Amino acid sequence: MDHLIGLKLEDAIKELNNKGISFKIVSNNHNVEGDTVLVTNATQLQDKTIVLTVGSFIFKLKD
């Protein structure tokens, strides 16, 4: 799941939903409206659930 690190949260969620993988989201900071939320870590639990740790960043991502 290392490939999820650095993705926008909505892109990571879309990928996991498309693959039918359950997940949980843990925020590691306070979000400010308009910030870009990125996946900063992804780990797999014993029950195969993916835990996405996310953080907010104030910048625009280059496509």
Side-chain angles (χ1 to χ4, degrees), residues 37-57:
V37 179
L38 300 178
V39 176
T40 58
N41 197 15
T43 55
Q44 186 173 7
L45 303 177
Q46 285 183 324
D47 68 356
K48 307 268 188 214
T49 298
I50 302 299
V51 177
L52 297 175
T53 304
V54 299
S56 297
F57 299 87

Side-chain angles (χ1 to χ4, degrees), residues 8-42:
K8 288 183 182 180
L9 177 58
E10 59 265 20
D11 293 339
I13 289 172
K14 183 178 179 180
E15 180 175 333
L16 293 173
N17 280 334
N18 286 343
K19 292 181 178 181
I21 300 172
S22 62
F23 61 91
K24 296 178 184 179
I25 300 171
V26 177
S27 178
N28 66 359
N29 64 3
H30 298 286
N31 297 337
V32 176
E33 190 172 329
D35 286 356
T36 300
V37 179
L38 300 178
V39 176
T40 58
N41 197 15

